[in-house]
Amino acid sequence: MSKMDNLRAMREARYEAAQKLAKSAPAKPAAPDRPTSAPQPAATAAEALCGHRNMSGRTCTREHGHAAKSHRYS
Ligand SMILES: [Zn+2]
């Protein structure tokens, strides 16, 4: 048996042991890797703003649907 085969056999044995352990362990709710329903403050803030862009690429910082006739780029 070569060294590589030996290593592979060890890895497989460890994998099988882990599988058995997982099967015998009581089921617990799987935790998601990352929250999918996390709030996205950037998108929410953008929605609350007018969002009109002027010629130099700046975005209007007034609220969405503002009554003022002019846009504000501050
Ligand atoms: Zn505006």
Side-chain angles (χ1 to χ4, degrees), residues 1-14:
M1 198 184 235
S2 74
K3 199 175 179 181
M4 286 303 289
D5 286 337
N6 197 14
L7 277 174
R8 197 191 309 162
M10 275 172 65
R11 234 195 327 256
E12 278 168 11
R14 227 183 330 214

Side-chain angles (χ1 to χ4, degrees), residues 37-70:
S37 59
Q40 294 175 322
T44 314
E47 275 170 9
L49 294 174
C50 168
H52 185 271
R53 280 174 179 259
N54 72 353
M55 284 188 290
S56 55
R58 303 210 60 169
T59 309
C60 175
T61 55
R62 286 194 198 271
E63 76 277 7
H64 180 74
H66 55 79
K69 284 179 183 169
S70 62

